[in-house]
Structures are given as C-alpha cells and as structure tokens.
Amino acid sequence: MGEVIVITSGKGGVGKTTTTANLGTGIAMQGKKVVLIDTDIGLRNLDVVMGLENRIVYDLVDVIEGQCRLKQALIKDKRYDGLYLLPAPQTRDKNSVAPHQMVTLCNELRQEFDYILIDCPAGIEQGFKNAIAGADRAVVVTTPEVSAVRDADRIIGLLEANEIRNPHLIVNRVRPDMVKRGDMMSIEDIIDILAIGLIGVIPDDENIIISTNRGEPVVSDSKSLAGQAYRNITRRIMGEEVPLMNFNTSDGFLAKMKKLFGIKPA
Amino acid sequence: MIELFKFFKKKETSKDVAKERLKLVLIHDRSNVSPQFLEMVKSEIIKVIQNYMEIDEDALDIQLTRTNSDDGERIVPALVANIPIKGMKNIGR
Ligand SMILES: Nc1ncnc2c1ncn2[C@@H]1O[C@H](COP(=O)(O)OP(=O)(O)O)[C@@H](O)[C@H]1O
Ligand SMILES: [Mg+2]
C-alpha cells in the first residue's frame, strides 16, 4: 500500500512545485514507483518543471469526471522507471474537484504506487482542502521570510485540524552568507518558532533555475548543492536516517553550512 | 552611563527584527481572536469599569500582545488595556 504525501505551504512561490518534482524524481531514482499529482487547477506548473508539458492528453478532472481511465491520464516519465505525472487541468474551475473524490483517487493510486506526492496550490481554500484530503502525511515548505513562516504556521494549524499530524518542514532558499551576517533567519530560529520536525534545508541555488529551464529536476545533478540537499530529503522521506547538521561542531561556518546541506567536507 | 552601555551593545540585526515581528504576529494568528471578539471584551470591560469610574471610551485601547512571564524566562501572551480615566464616581467610597 502506497503512502500519500502532500507538499504544501500556504504562501505561493516558496518552492512547493520544485520540491514535488525533485522528491518525486529522487524517489524514482531510488527505484520506487511514484506518481505526482498537480492539484493547482488553472495554474498547471508541475508539467513544465518536470519537462513533460508536451505529453499531456488528459488531466486530473478528466479522471475524476470519468472522461478517461486513470491509466490513460498518467504520463510516464521516460527518463526514470516508475515515475508518473497526473497533470492539473488548465481551463477548469477549482471547484470541479471535491475532497471525497481526491480520497477515492488517492486510494486507487495506493494500490499501484509506493508513493503518491501531491503538489498543493497556494492558499487555504478549496484547492488546499482537495490537496490534503487524501494525504497521510505532509511536508510544509517555507523560506526564511516573515510572510512565508507566518503562512506555514497557519498551514500547520490547519493540517492539525484535519488530523494530519507531525508535518515535516523544508526550509527552502536559505542563503548562508545572509544568515551569517544576521540578515536572514536561521534554521534554528524557524524551528524555534514553528516547533515542527525539520526534514531538510535547500540552499538558494541558481542551479534550480537552470535545471528548471531545461525541465530536468536538479536532484539528478550530482554536483549542485540543491541537488544533494534534495537527494538527502528523498532518503529521509523514505525513512532513512540521513544526518542533518551537527550543531555542536567546532567546524568553521562554511564547513557547517556544507554539512547542513549534506555535502561532505573536502 | 546607560547611553554608553547602549553604544557598545551589538546592533540589532534584521533577522532579530524579523523574529520579533513574527512571534508577535503569530500570537494573534494562533489565538484565533477575531476583532469582533476583542470588541466584545472591550464593551464588557467598559461596562464594569463605568460602574466605578468615568472613562474616555473613545481613547480606550485594548490589545492582545505578549510580555515576559513572572520568572522572566518565557514570553507569554498578555491582554493589555489602556483605559484613560476622566474621574472617579462616588459610589462605594
Ligand atoms: N532553492 C531555490 N533556489 C533558487 N530558486 C528557487 C529555489 N526554490 C524555488 N526557486 C524558484 O522559485 C520559483 C517558485 O518556485 P515554485 O516551486 O514554483 O513555488 P510554488 O510551487 O510554491 O509556488 C521558481 O521560479 C523556482 O525556480
Ligand atoms: Mg506551485
């Protein structure tokens, strides 16, 4: 039986779609079967981030309305065995999906896949409710900014209210140089405030933009910092213990940051 | 002396400001207190106090904020009311 994980944040533009694409690809690279569902109806994005935009025929709402079979709508990523995408419709209304339909869909996908990752839209309205309806667990993405952390806090409360307990936190777009000079909240600051478990930290990395330009998730780029960070998170999602930063180390700052992102010191 | 001390004290960084502001805003968010709720509390307080004092209702300000706990080790939510008194009433004196 597969596991359903929703990637959510409240605020837009913090890295939900990027994270869904990378964790999905990362899981497939580990040899598991995974399907990514884009629930951002009307603002479909996961397809372009994955580089699969030219292969869409059917979408999420077609499946839910029975216009096609589930199998027909799943786009297989030819680069990785076991990686599939269920795209969002671009010209439909958010209300064309109801939470109970998402639950049914997720339960059907569980039979076939090890992991079902749900890319949640921004906001706390219908799209959010649909995205979390069938989820067993949640990953909350934030950035080290007041507005993003505030929204993450709100989302954590709403997940709790919907009985999705112990969500995991990803802090995205961290700039070690800014943290060092006191111009960006540190990971400790954010965990202190949100009080949930950290599953990983992604640096602000231009390689994300470069890889997104090409439609190839950065997780497959062995040299980039962000790629390494996503590979570590992938393994943690799958239950492996991958060490985070050792906070008591006497290493220099750069070595610490490299550790934090999981790069072995030279 | 105090000024001198201040001068040597490390300047507050922007992340310290961010953290402070976040903590404050989250107390409001988490407490689920609506402006209507505060209005209700406010009018009840006014009713009670008016039995004993004349107050400036328009200048009355009531806010949910936070403060240091008694032991000074934690920050706790606090209801702070600023109620300008115009005069005392004679009953009960
Ligand atoms: N760690 C990062 N470093 C640099 N750019 C990033 C990073 N994470 C996300 N981005 C960029 O930020 C933008 C928003 O990301 P996206 O994943 O679409 O956010 P969301 O789905 O939460 O709206 C994208 O252009 C993406 O390439
Ligand atoms: Mg998105």
Side-chain angles (χ1 to χ4, degrees):
Chain A
M1 276 288 266
E3 223 182 334
V4 183
I5 306 173
V6 61
I7 321 294
T8 181
S9 72
K11 188 169 152 61
V14 298
K16 292 177 294 295
T17 300
T18 306
T19 296
T20 308
N22 279 288
L23 296 185
T25 306
I27 289 170
M29 285 164 67
Q30 295 276 326
K32 295 286 180 188
K33 218 174 160 193
V34 54
V35 57
L36 314 183
I37 310 180
D38 189 348
T39 61
D40 204 345
I41 295 175
L43 288 171
R44 159 158 105 202
N45 267 164
L46 190 52
D47 56 335
V48 286
V49 175
M50 298 288 295
L52 297 173
E53 68 274 16
N54 292 326
R55 306 206 11 233
I56 297 179
V57 182
Y58 297 109
D59 59 51
L60 174 64
V61 172
D62 292 327
V63 172
I64 279 176
E65 290 181 345
Q67 315 273 13
C68 68
R69 282 177 293 113
L70 177 53
K71 285 246 166 71
Q72 290 178 292
L74 296 179
I75 300 163
K76 181 174 163 38
D77 191 321
K78 290 173 182 153
R79 296 161 297 184
Y80 305 95
D81 252 359
L83 180 57
Y84 293 79
L85 170 71
L86 179 54
Q90 190 66 314
T91 55
R92 300 295 294 265
D93 186 83
K94 276 191 206 320
N95 300 317
S96 32
V97 180
H100 74 271
Q101 295 171 315
M102 283 300 293
V103 174
T104 309
L105 175 66
C106 288
N107 287 339
E108 198 174 339
L109 288 166
R110 271 178 218 276
Q111 313 296 326
E112 194 74 26
F113 293 90
D114 298 307
Y115 292 93
I116 298 107
L117 301 189
I118 300 180
D119 183 15
C120 181
I124 54 173
E125 308 302 326
Q126 185 69 29
F128 169 75
K129 289 175 188 155
N130 286 336
I132 66 167
D136 307 310
R137 331 191 230 159
V139 170
V140 175
V141 183
T142 192
T143 61
E145 286 176 85
V146 176
S147 53
V149 176
R150 180 197 198 172
D151 289 0
D153 189 81
R154 189 81 206 280
I155 288 297
I156 292 164
L158 290 172
L159 288 170
E160 176 85 15
N162 285 278
E163 269 148 36
I164 302 177
R165 310 222 187 273
N166 305 321
H168 282 119
L169 182 70
I170 290 181
V171 184
N172 188 22
R173 309 202 73 154
V174 173
R175 296 222 357 222
D177 54 326
M178 291 187 73
V179 174
K180 190 181 179 185
R181 64 170 192 258
D183 278 330
M184 181 175 275
M185 282 187 282
S186 68
I187 308 307
E188 294 94 316
D189 291 331
I190 296 167
I191 293 173
D192 192 32
I193 287 170
L194 293 179
I196 66 168
L198 179 72
I199 198 162
V201 179
I202 314 290
D204 193 69
D205 186 347
E206 61 178 37
N207 286 307
I208 293 214
I209 294 165
I210 296 169
S211 64
T212 307
N213 284 342
R214 301 187 195 280
E216 295 164 3
V218 76
V219 69
S220 62
D221 174 358
S222 59
K223 287 186 285 291
S224 75
L225 220 53
Q228 181 63 51
Y230 272 125
R231 283 193 295 280
N232 285 351
I233 296 176
T234 301
R235 288 164 59 199
R236 291 187 197 111
I237 290 270
M238 297 172 70
E240 219 180 300
E241 283 209 14
V242 183
L244 275 167
M245 180 184 178
N246 175 4
F247 294 102
N248 301 321
T249 171
S250 56
D251 290 348
F253 183 78
L254 198 68
K256 262 191 192 172
M257 286 321 288
K258 281 187 172 164
K259 253 193 204 164
L260 180 55
F261 297 129
I263 301 279
K264 288 210 181 72
Chain B
M1 188 61 212
I2 285 168
E3 281 309 305
L4 199 69
F5 186 71
K6 254 192 195 159
F7 181 76
F8 283 115
K9 220 176 94 178
K10 224 171 108 195
K11 206 174 137 246
E12 195 177 31
T13 61
S14 73
K15 87 105 188 248
D16 292 329
V17 179
K19 217 180 157 185
E20 279 306 300
R21 292 176 56 221
L22 241 175
K23 282 187 173 168
L24 194 56
V25 83
L26 288 185
I27 284 170
H28 280 266
D29 289 1
R30 287 172 180 173
S31 68
N32 244 334
V33 170
S34 64
Q36 293 93 308
F37 174 88
L38 275 183
E39 275 311 307
M40 279 162 62
V41 175
K42 195 164 144 180
S43 61
E44 292 286 316
I45 289 177
I46 292 175
K47 252 193 263 168
V48 173
I49 295 182
Q50 270 176 342
N51 292 333
Y52 305 94
M53 300 166 207
E54 264 178 66
I55 59 175
D56 183 356
E57 268 187 62
D58 295 330
L60 183 137
D61 180 36
I62 168 164
Q63 287 187 19
L64 203 58
T65 173
R66 64 197 184 117
T67 183
N68 279 312
S69 62
D70 287 343
D71 57 19
E73 280 174 14
R74 284 167 309 130
I75 305 262
V76 293
L79 191 67
V80 172
N82 187 356
I83 308 169
I85 299 168
K86 284 183 181 161
M88 305 300 280
K89 292 195 173 166
N90 281 327
I91 22 161
R93 267 204 272 164

